[in-house]
Structure formats: structure tokens, C-alpha cells
Amino acid sequence: MEQIFQNVIINRQEINSIEFEKESIEIPLYPGGEQTFEILVTNYGSPTHIHLSVSEELKGQITFLRDNPYVLQKEYVSAVARISQEGRVLTKGHIYITAGYGSKKKGFPVQLGKVEAKPQELSKVETAKWDENTEELKPSRPSVAEPVKKASRPRTGSGSGFGGISSSVLRNFKGGFPSTSGKRTRKGTGQNERLPLALALGGFLLLIFLFFLYFILPAGLQFSVSFTQALLFSILFVTCITYILLKIMEEG
């Protein structure tokens, strides 16, 4: 049974208008394959002829059995899509519908083919040979690994010579700067932790000062505060208080 890939609607919005039910279609084919499909043309106006064509990329690959059908209400237009054995795996183009004797032309994208190559299935004989090869390789794995383990033992097992000298040198080198680097990092981290707390306290005090200043100033010198500014001040005030309380709880 032929599959309907697209529904073309004409004369619905206005005279000679062309609409597509799908924005694009995909025709999955491998090189050497062929598929027949249908395009349904639905006419909402008076009976008319339409013309079907393809772009340059799809010429010779998509063929319409009737490229100039006469559409009364509904008409099924059959088409054949094929890819030659030496053809491209994936081709992109357009199918065009022309109505009103050439006055209106509109197309939709078409993807012919598949992105991935055709998978080659292993035959029963090949799978049996593969199983035999894997079984033959299984017993050989321990014998290959044994000399590697034996050769690696004397290298790791020697506790004297260059290994002992290098380990003592590394220990002395690592133990050369523990106290000074630790003090410096602690001072740096302490300063980094105090800076946000100082900023929070400063912002908190500044907000309290502005709050009292608003009520202390006389009417002529008072400044106006909008709703947005009041909301921002409230958020900043709550944030500062929350951060200060959390720091106090951590210190305790």
C-alpha cells in the first residue's frame, strides 16, 4: 500500500493559495532502493489543474506518474523515489506545487536517503568463526600477562639503591616549606572571610543610618523614595541581617 507523505491544500485561504500539512518530509532509502508514495491534494475551491515538479537536486530521483493532475476536490498523486546503486546516500531538495496556471508556486523540503550507511549483517558462518577465534584467544591471555607481572616485581620490590635515595630526597623536598605556606594560606583565607562580613556590617549600618535620616530631616530636606527603591533597600537589609546572623552562628 502506498504511503501518503504530504497533504497539499489549495484554495482554502484565498484563490490559488497553497498550504502544506507537513513542513518537510523524509523518504528513507538506501542506494539501490526504490519507494512509491502518494501526495494528497485537497481543493477547497473550483476545479483546477496543478503542476508538480522537483528541484535540480532531486531530478531523476523523484518522478511523478501525473505531474499535471486535474483536482476536483481530492486527488491522489503517485510518485516514485529511487536512489541508484552509485548514487548519494543523502540528498536534500524541494518538491514544488504550482497553481493558478503558473501564478502561484510554493515548495516544501524533502530529504531523500539516510544519514547512516546500510548495516552489514554477519552471516551464521561468520559469527561461528568469530566465536571460534574468541575461544582460541581466551587461554592465551594469562600466558601473555605472566611475564609482564614477573618483570614488574623486581622494579617495585627494590627498597635500596636509587629508589631509596629518590624517596628520601622527595620527602626532604616536601617537608621544606610546610610552616610558612600554611601560615600564609591561613592569613589569606582569614582576610577573605572577613571581607564579606565587613561589607555586610557596613551595608547594615548604612541602611539604618539612611532609615533614621529619613525621619530626622525636616520636611523641606526629605528625599523621596519610590516603591522600587524601598523594595531594593528591604531586600538588601534582609540579606545583610541574614548573612551577619549566619556568621555569628558559625563563630558560636
Side-chain angles (χ1 to χ4, degrees), residues 29-118:
L29 280 179
Y30 291 114
E34 181 176 309
Q35 183 173 355
T36 304
F37 64 96
E38 286 187 340
I39 295 177
L40 174 62
V41 183
T42 305
N43 185 10
Y44 281 83
S46 57
T48 183
H49 281 279
I50 64 168
H51 182 71
L52 292 92
S53 59
V54 296
S55 58
E56 291 292 333
E57 299 85 359
L58 296 175
K59 283 187 177 180
Q61 293 184 305
I62 294 180
T63 305
F64 299 102
L65 302 184
R66 292 184 301 155
D67 59 357
N68 191 28
Y70 185 71
V71 184
L72 294 174
Q73 292 181 346
K74 286 189 177 182
E75 194 72 23
Y76 293 88
V77 180
S78 298
V80 179
R82 63 175 64 87
I83 301 178
S84 61
Q85 194 68 41
E86 298 80 15
R88 296 176 58 183
V89 177
L90 182 66
T91 305
K92 295 182 179 180
H94 285 77
I95 292 179
Y96 296 105
I97 308 295
T98 305
Y101 300 97
S103 61
K104 290 286 182 70
K105 184 178 181 180
K106 192 174 180 181
F108 57 90
V110 179
Q111 178 176 302
L112 179 62
K114 285 189 175 182
V115 178
E116 69 274 8
K118 186 175 182 179

Side-chain angles (χ1 to χ4, degrees), residues 8-14 16-19 41-46 48-50 71 97 99:
V8 181
I9 303 169
I10 60 175
N11 296 324
R12 183 167 68 173
Q13 295 179 344
E14 59 182 1
N16 298 325
S17 66
I18 304 171
E19 302 170 74
V41 183
T42 305
N43 185 10
Y44 281 83
S46 57
T48 183
H49 281 279
I50 64 168
V71 184
I97 308 295

Side-chain angles (χ1 to χ4, degrees), residues 16 25-26 62 74 93 98 102 146 169-170 183 189 195-196 198 203 215 221 230 233 239:
N16 298 325
I25 65 172
E26 296 181 3
I62 294 180
K74 286 189 177 182
T98 305
E146 281 178 1
V169 171
L170 287 174
K183 291 178 181 178
T189 52
L195 182 60
F215 291 99
L221 297 176
F233 288 155
T239 304

Side-chain angles (χ1 to χ4, degrees), residues 182-228:
K183 291 178 181 178
R184 289 177 183 175
T185 53
R186 287 173 185 172
K187 289 181 181 179
T189 52
Q191 292 177 357
N192 293 332
E193 290 178 357
R194 290 173 185 174
L195 182 60
L197 182 60
L199 292 175
L201 285 171
F204 176 71
L205 295 175
L206 180 61
L207 289 173
I208 292 177
F209 174 73
L210 293 175
F211 179 76
F212 283 105
L213 187 64
Y214 179 79
F215 291 99
I216 292 172
L217 289 175
L221 297 176
Q222 283 185 354
F223 50 89
S224 60
V225 179
S226 63
F227 175 76
T228 306

Side-chain angles (χ1 to χ4, degrees), residues 140-182:
S140 64
R141 288 178 183 174
S143 61
V144 175
E146 281 178 1
V148 177
K149 292 181 180 178
K150 289 179 181 179
S152 62
R153 283 172 187 170
R155 294 179 185 175
T156 56
S158 61
S160 60
F162 182 74
I165 295 170
S166 61
S167 61
S168 62
V169 171
L170 287 174
R171 288 173 185 172
N172 293 330
F173 181 77
K174 290 180 180 178
F177 312 97
S179 59
T180 56
S181 61

